mmCIF file of all heavy atoms in Angstrom:
data_model
loop_
_atom_site.group_PDB
_atom_site.id
_atom_site.type_symbol
_atom_site.label_atom_id
_atom_site.label_comp_id
_atom_site.label_asym_id
_atom_site.label_seq_id
_atom_site.Cartn_x
_atom_site.Cartn_y
_atom_site.Cartn_z
ATOM 1 N N VAL D 193 1.564 30.487 -18.306
ATOM 2 C CA VAL D 193 1.851 31.447 -17.227
ATOM 3 C C VAL D 193 1.268 30.951 -15.906
ATOM 4 O O VAL D 193 1.922 30.992 -14.871
ATOM 5 C CB VAL D 193 1.318 32.856 -17.587
ATOM 6 C CG1 VAL D 193 1.341 33.784 -16.386
ATOM 7 C CG2 VAL D 193 2.124 33.443 -18.746
ATOM 8 N N ALA D 194 0.032 30.460 -15.949
ATOM 9 C CA ALA D 194 -0.616 29.938 -14.736
ATOM 10 C C ALA D 194 0.139 28.730 -14.189
ATOM 11 O O ALA D 194 0.276 28.581 -12.970
ATOM 12 C CB ALA D 194 -2.074 29.586 -15.028
ATOM 13 N N LEU D 195 0.640 27.882 -15.073
ATOM 14 C CA LEU D 195 1.431 26.733 -14.635
ATOM 15 C C LEU D 195 2.688 27.202 -13.911
ATOM 16 O O LEU D 195 3.042 26.671 -12.853
ATOM 17 C CB LEU D 195 1.817 25.845 -15.826
ATOM 18 C CG LEU D 195 0.714 24.992 -16.439
ATOM 19 C CD1 LEU D 195 1.190 24.348 -17.732
ATOM 20 C CD2 LEU D 195 0.225 23.944 -15.460
ATOM 21 N N LEU D 196 3.360 28.194 -14.472
ATOM 22 C CA LEU D 196 4.566 28.730 -13.834
ATOM 23 C C LEU D 196 4.261 29.301 -12.454
ATOM 24 O O LEU D 196 5.018 29.083 -11.509
ATOM 25 C CB LEU D 196 5.197 29.808 -14.718
ATOM 26 C CG LEU D 196 5.956 29.322 -15.942
ATOM 27 C CD1 LEU D 196 6.374 30.502 -16.815
ATOM 28 C CD2 LEU D 196 7.171 28.517 -15.537
ATOM 29 N N LYS D 197 3.158 30.043 -12.350
ATOM 30 C CA LYS D 197 2.781 30.643 -11.064
ATOM 31 C C LYS D 197 2.519 29.591 -9.992
ATOM 32 O O LYS D 197 2.810 29.802 -8.830
ATOM 33 C CB LYS D 197 1.549 31.533 -11.234
ATOM 34 C CG LYS D 197 1.852 32.836 -11.923
ATOM 35 C CD LYS D 197 0.610 33.694 -12.033
ATOM 36 C CE LYS D 197 0.913 34.996 -12.734
ATOM 37 N NZ LYS D 197 -0.279 35.852 -12.862
ATOM 38 N N LYS D 198 1.958 28.448 -10.415
ATOM 39 C CA LYS D 198 1.690 27.375 -9.467
ATOM 40 C C LYS D 198 2.912 26.493 -9.229
ATOM 41 O O LYS D 198 2.905 25.644 -8.352
ATOM 42 C CB LYS D 198 0.542 26.486 -9.974
ATOM 43 C CG LYS D 198 -0.817 27.121 -9.863
ATOM 44 C CD LYS D 198 -1.910 26.176 -10.300
ATOM 45 C CE LYS D 198 -2.394 25.256 -9.248
ATOM 46 N NZ LYS D 198 -3.109 25.763 -8.115
ATOM 47 N N GLY D 199 3.944 26.694 -10.041
ATOM 48 C CA GLY D 199 5.125 25.849 -9.932
ATOM 49 C C GLY D 199 4.903 24.464 -10.529
ATOM 50 O O GLY D 199 5.559 23.512 -10.141
ATOM 51 N N TRP D 200 3.965 24.381 -11.461
ATOM 52 C CA TRP D 200 3.623 23.123 -12.096
ATOM 53 C C TRP D 200 4.261 23.021 -13.475
ATOM 54 O O TRP D 200 4.541 24.028 -14.118
ATOM 55 C CB TRP D 200 2.119 22.995 -12.303
ATOM 56 C CG TRP D 200 1.320 22.708 -11.081
ATOM 57 C CD1 TRP D 200 1.746 22.682 -9.796
ATOM 58 C CD2 TRP D 200 -0.078 22.427 -11.041
ATOM 59 N NE1 TRP D 200 0.701 22.400 -8.952
ATOM 60 C CE2 TRP D 200 -0.431 22.242 -9.699
ATOM 61 C CE3 TRP D 200 -1.057 22.324 -12.011
ATOM 62 C CZ2 TRP D 200 -1.727 21.939 -9.302
ATOM 63 C CZ3 TRP D 200 -2.341 22.035 -11.619
ATOM 64 C CH2 TRP D 200 -2.676 21.841 -10.268
ATOM 65 N N LYS D 201 4.417 21.791 -13.929
ATOM 66 C CA LYS D 201 4.800 21.492 -15.297
ATOM 67 C C LYS D 201 3.569 20.908 -15.983
ATOM 68 O O LYS D 201 2.571 20.606 -15.325
ATOM 69 C CB LYS D 201 5.940 20.477 -15.324
ATOM 70 C CG LYS D 201 7.209 20.991 -14.690
ATOM 71 C CD LYS D 201 8.277 19.941 -14.737
ATOM 72 C CE LYS D 201 9.525 20.493 -14.061
ATOM 73 N NZ LYS D 201 10.610 19.519 -14.041
ATOM 74 N N GLN D 202 3.661 20.722 -17.287
ATOM 75 C CA GLN D 202 2.548 20.104 -18.002
ATOM 76 C C GLN D 202 2.231 18.728 -17.428
ATOM 77 O O GLN D 202 1.065 18.329 -17.385
ATOM 78 C CB GLN D 202 2.871 19.958 -19.490
ATOM 79 C CG GLN D 202 2.778 21.237 -20.258
ATOM 80 C CD GLN D 202 2.987 21.025 -21.740
ATOM 81 O OE1 GLN D 202 2.792 19.931 -22.270
ATOM 82 N NE2 GLN D 202 3.389 22.069 -22.422
ATOM 83 N N GLU D 203 3.255 18.042 -16.958
ATOM 84 C CA GLU D 203 3.054 16.715 -16.376
ATOM 85 C C GLU D 203 2.174 16.782 -15.129
ATOM 86 O O GLU D 203 1.353 15.903 -14.890
ATOM 87 C CB GLU D 203 4.400 16.068 -16.028
ATOM 88 C CG GLU D 203 5.232 15.711 -17.231
ATOM 89 C CD GLU D 203 6.062 16.884 -17.773
ATOM 90 O OE1 GLU D 203 6.075 17.982 -17.167
ATOM 91 O OE2 GLU D 203 6.696 16.697 -18.822
ATOM 92 N N ASP D 204 2.365 17.838 -14.329
ATOM 93 C CA ASP D 204 1.544 18.018 -13.124
ATOM 94 C C ASP D 204 0.089 18.277 -13.499
ATOM 95 O O ASP D 204 -0.829 17.725 -12.882
ATOM 96 C CB ASP D 204 2.080 19.176 -12.283
ATOM 97 C CG ASP D 204 3.503 18.947 -11.821
ATOM 98 O OD1 ASP D 204 3.788 17.866 -11.273
ATOM 99 O OD2 ASP D 204 4.334 19.855 -12.018
ATOM 100 N N LEU D 205 -0.102 19.116 -14.504
ATOM 101 C CA LEU D 205 -1.458 19.397 -14.965
ATOM 102 C C LEU D 205 -2.114 18.115 -15.464
ATOM 103 O O LEU D 205 -3.259 17.826 -15.116
ATOM 104 C CB LEU D 205 -1.427 20.456 -16.073
ATOM 105 C CG LEU D 205 -2.771 20.857 -16.670
ATOM 106 C CD1 LEU D 205 -3.716 21.416 -15.608
ATOM 107 C CD2 LEU D 205 -2.564 21.873 -17.793
ATOM 108 N N ALA D 206 -1.381 17.350 -16.240
ATOM 109 C CA ALA D 206 -1.913 16.084 -16.754
ATOM 110 C C ALA D 206 -2.306 15.150 -15.614
ATOM 111 O O ALA D 206 -3.371 14.528 -15.657
ATOM 112 C CB ALA D 206 -0.885 15.413 -17.664
ATOM 113 N N LEU D 207 -1.464 15.065 -14.610
ATOM 114 C CA LEU D 207 -1.753 14.210 -13.459
ATOM 115 C C LEU D 207 -3.053 14.630 -12.779
ATOM 116 O O LEU D 207 -3.904 13.794 -12.466
ATOM 117 C CB LEU D 207 -0.597 14.265 -12.460
ATOM 118 C CG LEU D 207 -0.763 13.451 -11.185
ATOM 119 C CD1 LEU D 207 -0.757 11.964 -11.501
ATOM 120 C CD2 LEU D 207 0.337 13.779 -10.198
ATOM 121 N N HIS D 208 -3.239 15.925 -12.563
ATOM 122 C CA HIS D 208 -4.456 16.416 -11.915
ATOM 123 C C HIS D 208 -5.699 16.220 -12.784
ATOM 124 O O HIS D 208 -6.814 16.138 -12.272
ATOM 125 C CB HIS D 208 -4.301 17.893 -11.550
ATOM 126 C CG HIS D 208 -3.477 18.110 -10.333
ATOM 127 N ND1 HIS D 208 -2.101 18.149 -10.365
ATOM 128 C CD2 HIS D 208 -3.831 18.285 -9.040
ATOM 129 C CE1 HIS D 208 -1.642 18.346 -9.156
ATOM 130 N NE2 HIS D 208 -2.674 18.428 -8.324
ATOM 131 N N LEU D 209 -5.493 16.164 -14.094
ATOM 132 C CA LEU D 209 -6.615 15.954 -15.007
ATOM 133 C C LEU D 209 -6.877 14.481 -15.285
ATOM 134 O O LEU D 209 -7.867 14.134 -15.925
ATOM 135 C CB LEU D 209 -6.354 16.683 -16.330
ATOM 136 C CG LEU D 209 -6.374 18.206 -16.260
ATOM 137 C CD1 LEU D 209 -5.828 18.794 -17.554
ATOM 138 C CD2 LEU D 209 -7.784 18.714 -15.984
ATOM 139 N N GLY D 210 -5.972 13.618 -14.844
ATOM 140 C CA GLY D 210 -6.144 12.189 -15.070
ATOM 141 C C GLY D 210 -5.863 11.768 -16.501
ATOM 142 O O GLY D 210 -6.486 10.819 -17.004
ATOM 143 N N ILE D 211 -4.967 12.498 -17.161
ATOM 144 C CA ILE D 211 -4.604 12.172 -18.536
ATOM 145 C C ILE D 211 -3.083 12.063 -18.632
ATOM 146 O O ILE D 211 -2.368 12.376 -17.680
ATOM 147 C CB ILE D 211 -5.130 13.234 -19.535
ATOM 148 C CG1 ILE D 211 -4.543 14.622 -19.211
ATOM 149 C CG2 ILE D 211 -6.646 13.255 -19.530
ATOM 150 C CD1 ILE D 211 -4.903 15.690 -20.217
ATOM 151 N N THR D 212 -2.602 11.665 -19.790
ATOM 152 C CA THR D 212 -1.164 11.540 -19.971
ATOM 153 C C THR D 212 -0.560 12.902 -20.330
ATOM 154 O O THR D 212 -1.242 13.769 -20.885
ATOM 155 C CB THR D 212 -0.821 10.550 -21.102
ATOM 156 O OG1 THR D 212 -1.281 11.094 -22.350
ATOM 157 C CG2 THR D 212 -1.426 9.186 -20.851
ATOM 158 N N PRO D 213 0.727 13.076 -20.029
ATOM 159 C CA PRO D 213 1.403 14.313 -20.440
ATOM 160 C C PRO D 213 1.368 14.509 -21.964
ATOM 161 O O PRO D 213 1.253 15.638 -22.433
ATOM 162 C CB PRO D 213 2.840 14.117 -19.943
ATOM 163 C CG PRO D 213 2.703 13.191 -18.783
ATOM 164 C CD PRO D 213 1.582 12.251 -19.175
ATOM 165 N N ALA D 214 1.429 13.421 -22.701
ATOM 166 C CA ALA D 214 1.363 13.522 -24.164
ATOM 167 C C ALA D 214 0.019 14.100 -24.613
ATOM 168 O O ALA D 214 -0.031 14.922 -25.541
ATOM 169 C CB ALA D 214 1.589 12.161 -24.803
ATOM 170 N N TYR D 215 -1.054 13.701 -23.938
ATOM 171 C CA TYR D 215 -2.384 14.198 -24.306
ATOM 172 C C TYR D 215 -2.504 15.695 -24.030
ATOM 173 O O TYR D 215 -3.009 16.436 -24.866
ATOM 174 C CB TYR D 215 -3.450 13.401 -23.555
ATOM 175 C CG TYR D 215 -4.856 13.659 -24.026
ATOM 176 C CD1 TYR D 215 -5.308 13.141 -25.224
ATOM 177 C CD2 TYR D 215 -5.737 14.417 -23.269
ATOM 178 C CE1 TYR D 215 -6.604 13.374 -25.661
ATOM 179 C CE2 TYR D 215 -7.024 14.651 -23.687
ATOM 180 C CZ TYR D 215 -7.454 14.130 -24.895
ATOM 181 O OH TYR D 215 -8.730 14.365 -25.330
ATOM 182 N N ILE D 216 -2.009 16.163 -22.890
ATOM 183 C CA ILE D 216 -2.087 17.597 -22.602
ATOM 184 C C ILE D 216 -1.226 18.375 -23.581
ATOM 185 O O ILE D 216 -1.595 19.453 -24.032
ATOM 186 C CB ILE D 216 -1.747 17.929 -21.125
ATOM 187 C CG1 ILE D 216 -2.201 19.356 -20.756
ATOM 188 C CG2 ILE D 216 -0.284 17.818 -20.829
ATOM 189 C CD1 ILE D 216 -3.646 19.568 -20.716
ATOM 190 N N SER D 217 -0.101 17.820 -23.962
ATOM 191 C CA SER D 217 0.759 18.461 -24.951
ATOM 192 C C SER D 217 0.039 18.596 -26.292
ATOM 193 O O SER D 217 0.108 19.647 -26.941
ATOM 194 C CB SER D 217 2.048 17.660 -25.124
ATOM 195 O OG SER D 217 2.860 18.237 -26.119
ATOM 196 N N GLN D 218 -0.662 17.562 -26.683
ATOM 197 C CA GLN D 218 -1.406 17.604 -27.945
ATOM 198 C C GLN D 218 -2.509 18.647 -27.900
ATOM 199 O O GLN D 218 -2.754 19.344 -28.893
ATOM 200 C CB GLN D 218 -1.985 16.229 -28.261
ATOM 201 C CG GLN D 218 -0.932 15.214 -28.618
ATOM 202 C CD GLN D 218 -1.480 13.809 -28.701
ATOM 203 O OE1 GLN D 218 -2.645 13.549 -28.379
ATOM 204 N NE2 GLN D 218 -0.640 12.879 -29.116
ATOM 205 N N ILE D 219 -3.167 18.794 -26.777
ATOM 206 C CA ILE D 219 -4.209 19.814 -26.631
ATOM 207 C C ILE D 219 -3.589 21.200 -26.743
ATOM 208 O O ILE D 219 -4.073 22.057 -27.489
ATOM 209 C CB ILE D 219 -4.960 19.654 -25.295
ATOM 210 C CG1 ILE D 219 -5.787 18.368 -25.307
ATOM 211 C CG2 ILE D 219 -5.856 20.863 -25.028
ATOM 212 C CD1 ILE D 219 -6.381 17.999 -23.953
ATOM 213 N N LEU D 220 -2.506 21.433 -26.017
ATOM 214 C CA LEU D 220 -1.882 22.755 -26.009
ATOM 215 C C LEU D 220 -1.243 23.112 -27.344
ATOM 216 O O LEU D 220 -1.135 24.298 -27.678
ATOM 217 C CB LEU D 220 -0.847 22.843 -24.885
ATOM 218 C CG LEU D 220 -1.403 22.748 -23.468
ATOM 219 C CD1 LEU D 220 -0.277 22.815 -22.453
ATOM 220 C CD2 LEU D 220 -2.435 23.829 -23.194
ATOM 221 N N ASN D 221 -0.852 22.108 -28.094
ATOM 222 C CA ASN D 221 -0.240 22.365 -29.402
ATOM 223 C C ASN D 221 -1.235 22.314 -30.557
ATOM 224 O O ASN D 221 -0.846 22.383 -31.714
ATOM 225 C CB ASN D 221 0.908 21.375 -29.644
ATOM 226 C CG ASN D 221 2.089 21.690 -28.760
ATOM 227 O OD1 ASN D 221 2.550 22.819 -28.720
ATOM 228 N ND2 ASN D 221 2.568 20.704 -28.031
ATOM 229 N N GLY D 222 -2.531 22.186 -30.221
ATOM 230 C CA GLY D 222 -3.577 22.238 -31.228
ATOM 231 C C GLY D 222 -3.741 20.987 -32.065
ATOM 232 O O GLY D 222 -4.410 21.017 -33.099
ATOM 233 N N ARG D 223 -3.179 19.880 -31.636
ATOM 234 C CA ARG D 223 -3.314 18.635 -32.389
ATOM 235 C C ARG D 223 -4.532 17.821 -31.952
ATOM 236 O O ARG D 223 -4.901 16.866 -32.623
ATOM 237 C CB ARG D 223 -2.038 17.806 -32.276
ATOM 238 C CG ARG D 223 -0.858 18.457 -33.003
ATOM 239 C CD ARG D 223 0.334 17.546 -33.098
ATOM 240 N NE ARG D 223 0.773 17.052 -31.810
ATOM 241 C CZ ARG D 223 1.779 17.565 -31.107
ATOM 242 N NH1 ARG D 223 2.446 18.599 -31.550
ATOM 243 N NH2 ARG D 223 2.120 17.038 -29.954
ATOM 244 N N ARG D 224 -5.131 18.183 -30.818
ATOM 245 C CA ARG D 224 -6.350 17.529 -30.330
ATOM 246 C C ARG D 224 -7.267 18.592 -29.768
ATOM 247 O O ARG D 224 -6.814 19.574 -29.193
ATOM 248 C CB ARG D 224 -6.023 16.520 -29.229
ATOM 249 C CG ARG D 224 -5.276 15.312 -29.761
ATOM 250 C CD ARG D 224 -5.223 14.281 -28.709
ATOM 251 N NE ARG D 224 -6.358 13.389 -28.847
ATOM 252 C CZ ARG D 224 -6.283 12.109 -28.546
ATOM 253 N NH1 ARG D 224 -5.171 11.592 -28.095
ATOM 254 N NH2 ARG D 224 -7.327 11.340 -28.675
ATOM 255 N N GLU D 225 -8.567 18.339 -29.901
ATOM 256 C CA GLU D 225 -9.555 19.265 -29.343
ATOM 257 C C GLU D 225 -9.580 19.198 -27.825
ATOM 258 O O GLU D 225 -9.409 20.196 -27.164
ATOM 259 C CB GLU D 225 -10.951 18.957 -29.890
ATOM 260 C CG GLU D 225 -11.292 19.659 -31.164
ATOM 261 C CD GLU D 225 -11.256 21.160 -31.069
ATOM 262 O OE1 GLU D 225 -11.964 21.743 -30.237
ATOM 263 O OE2 GLU D 225 -10.519 21.739 -31.850
ATOM 264 N N GLY D 226 -9.855 18.030 -27.294
ATOM 265 C CA GLY D 226 -9.893 17.839 -25.850
ATOM 266 C C GLY D 226 -10.847 18.768 -25.128
ATOM 267 O O GLY D 226 -10.513 19.307 -24.084
ATOM 268 N N LEU D 227 -12.035 18.957 -25.682
ATOM 269 C CA LEU D 227 -12.990 19.915 -25.099
ATOM 270 C C LEU D 227 -13.324 19.612 -23.647
ATOM 271 O O LEU D 227 -13.386 20.520 -22.816
ATOM 272 C CB LEU D 227 -14.264 19.981 -25.933
ATOM 273 C CG LEU D 227 -14.109 20.556 -27.334
ATOM 274 C CD1 LEU D 227 -15.422 20.452 -28.091
ATOM 275 C CD2 LEU D 227 -13.631 21.994 -27.267
ATOM 276 N N ARG D 228 -13.548 18.351 -23.343
ATOM 277 C CA ARG D 228 -13.896 17.978 -21.958
ATOM 278 C C ARG D 228 -12.761 18.348 -21.007
ATOM 279 O O ARG D 228 -12.998 18.897 -19.931
ATOM 280 C CB ARG D 228 -14.200 16.483 -21.886
ATOM 281 C CG ARG D 228 -14.659 16.009 -20.522
ATOM 282 C CD ARG D 228 -14.945 14.512 -20.516
ATOM 283 N NE ARG D 228 -13.819 13.702 -20.908
ATOM 284 C CZ ARG D 228 -12.838 13.327 -20.068
ATOM 285 N NH1 ARG D 228 -12.881 13.683 -18.813
ATOM 286 N NH2 ARG D 228 -11.840 12.591 -20.495
ATOM 287 N N ILE D 229 -11.546 18.082 -21.422
ATOM 288 C CA ILE D 229 -10.379 18.399 -20.600
ATOM 289 C C ILE D 229 -10.180 19.902 -20.521
ATOM 290 O O ILE D 229 -9.903 20.453 -19.445
ATOM 291 C CB ILE D 229 -9.116 17.713 -21.176
ATOM 292 C CG1 ILE D 229 -9.276 16.193 -21.175
ATOM 293 C CG2 ILE D 229 -7.865 18.161 -20.443
ATOM 294 C CD1 ILE D 229 -9.449 15.577 -19.808
ATOM 295 N N ARG D 230 -10.315 20.586 -21.661
ATOM 296 C CA ARG D 230 -10.115 22.042 -21.684
ATOM 297 C C ARG D 230 -11.071 22.772 -20.746
ATOM 298 O O ARG D 230 -10.736 23.824 -20.216
ATOM 299 C CB ARG D 230 -10.282 22.567 -23.104
ATOM 300 C CG ARG D 230 -9.067 22.251 -23.957
ATOM 301 C CD ARG D 230 -9.220 22.643 -25.382
ATOM 302 N NE ARG D 230 -9.855 23.920 -25.603
ATOM 303 C CZ ARG D 230 -10.242 24.336 -26.793
ATOM 304 N NH1 ARG D 230 -10.053 23.582 -27.855
ATOM 305 N NH2 ARG D 230 -10.821 25.505 -26.936
ATOM 306 N N ARG D 231 -12.238 22.202 -20.523
ATOM 307 C CA ARG D 231 -13.204 22.840 -19.613
ATOM 308 C C ARG D 231 -12.763 22.725 -18.153
ATOM 309 O O ARG D 231 -13.198 23.509 -17.318
ATOM 310 C CB ARG D 231 -14.577 22.210 -19.806
ATOM 311 C CG ARG D 231 -15.197 22.586 -21.119
ATOM 312 C CD ARG D 231 -16.603 22.042 -21.257
ATOM 313 N NE ARG D 231 -17.122 22.379 -22.574
ATOM 314 C CZ ARG D 231 -17.550 21.497 -23.450
ATOM 315 N NH1 ARG D 231 -17.577 20.211 -23.144
ATOM 316 N NH2 ARG D 231 -17.999 21.868 -24.625
ATOM 317 N N LYS D 232 -11.914 21.767 -17.839
ATOM 318 C CA LYS D 232 -11.460 21.562 -16.463
ATOM 319 C C LYS D 232 -10.223 22.391 -16.115
ATOM 320 O O LYS D 232 -9.961 22.659 -14.941
ATOM 321 C CB LYS D 232 -11.131 20.081 -16.242
ATOM 322 C CG LYS D 232 -12.324 19.169 -16.344
ATOM 323 C CD LYS D 232 -11.905 17.733 -16.139
ATOM 324 C CE LYS D 232 -13.080 16.784 -16.249
ATOM 325 N NZ LYS D 232 -12.683 15.397 -16.009
ATOM 326 N N ILE D 233 -9.467 22.780 -17.110
ATOM 327 C CA ILE D 233 -8.190 23.460 -16.881
ATOM 328 C C ILE D 233 -8.326 24.773 -16.109
ATOM 329 O O ILE D 233 -7.578 24.998 -15.150
ATOM 330 C CB ILE D 233 -7.429 23.654 -18.207
ATOM 331 C CG1 ILE D 233 -7.013 22.294 -18.762
ATOM 332 C CG2 ILE D 233 -6.220 24.559 -18.029
ATOM 333 C CD1 ILE D 233 -6.413 22.338 -20.165
ATOM 334 N N PRO D 234 -9.256 25.665 -16.468
ATOM 335 C CA PRO D 234 -9.329 26.942 -15.757
ATOM 336 C C PRO D 234 -9.523 26.803 -14.247
ATOM 337 O O PRO D 234 -8.876 27.516 -13.470
ATOM 338 C CB PRO D 234 -10.522 27.648 -16.396
ATOM 339 C CG PRO D 234 -10.617 27.056 -17.746
ATOM 340 C CD PRO D 234 -10.205 25.613 -17.574
ATOM 341 N N ALA D 235 -10.377 25.891 -13.828
ATOM 342 C CA ALA D 235 -10.616 25.712 -12.395
ATOM 343 C C ALA D 235 -9.353 25.249 -11.676
ATOM 344 O O ALA D 235 -9.064 25.704 -10.568
ATOM 345 C CB ALA D 235 -11.755 24.726 -12.172
ATOM 346 N N LEU D 236 -8.610 24.362 -12.304
ATOM 347 C CA LEU D 236 -7.376 23.860 -11.695
ATOM 348 C C LEU D 236 -6.315 24.946 -11.572
ATOM 349 O O LEU D 236 -5.556 24.974 -10.619
ATOM 350 C CB LEU D 236 -6.800 22.704 -12.514
ATOM 351 C CG LEU D 236 -7.401 21.341 -12.276
ATOM 352 C CD1 LEU D 236 -6.859 20.351 -13.293
ATOM 353 C CD2 LEU D 236 -7.091 20.859 -10.871
ATOM 354 N N LEU D 237 -6.274 25.831 -12.567
ATOM 355 C CA LEU D 237 -5.218 26.834 -12.603
ATOM 356 C C LEU D 237 -5.651 28.199 -12.074
ATOM 357 O O LEU D 237 -4.828 29.102 -11.967
ATOM 358 C CB LEU D 237 -4.688 26.989 -14.036
ATOM 359 C CG LEU D 237 -4.045 25.736 -14.628
ATOM 360 C CD1 LEU D 237 -3.599 26.009 -16.057
ATOM 361 C CD2 LEU D 237 -2.876 25.278 -13.774
ATOM 362 N N GLY D 238 -6.927 28.344 -11.769
ATOM 363 C CA GLY D 238 -7.409 29.619 -11.241
ATOM 364 C C GLY D 238 -7.426 30.724 -12.277
ATOM 365 O O GLY D 238 -7.134 31.881 -11.967
ATOM 366 N N ILE D 239 -7.773 30.368 -13.530
ATOM 367 C CA ILE D 239 -7.886 31.369 -14.579
ATOM 368 C C ILE D 239 -9.303 31.345 -15.133
ATOM 369 O O ILE D 239 -10.038 30.384 -14.936
ATOM 370 C CB ILE D 239 -6.856 31.144 -15.707
ATOM 371 C CG1 ILE D 239 -7.038 29.767 -16.363
ATOM 372 C CG2 ILE D 239 -5.439 31.318 -15.200
ATOM 373 C CD1 ILE D 239 -6.121 29.515 -17.558
ATOM 374 N N SER D 240 -9.647 32.385 -15.850
ATOM 375 C CA SER D 240 -10.978 32.466 -16.447
ATOM 376 C C SER D 240 -11.075 31.530 -17.637
ATOM 377 O O SER D 240 -10.141 31.397 -18.425
ATOM 378 C CB SER D 240 -11.245 33.903 -16.897
ATOM 379 O OG SER D 240 -12.451 33.969 -17.628
#
């Protein structure tokens, strides 16, 4: 929802996080933990 509000795609989020789109997809689909990355997402998207 936050991505939609910003007009971003997963690829945009990945770019801002310095990771590949495949890696963000794996995190969102529960195939990878990505704790370090997950801690950065809220600040980028303005969510808690």
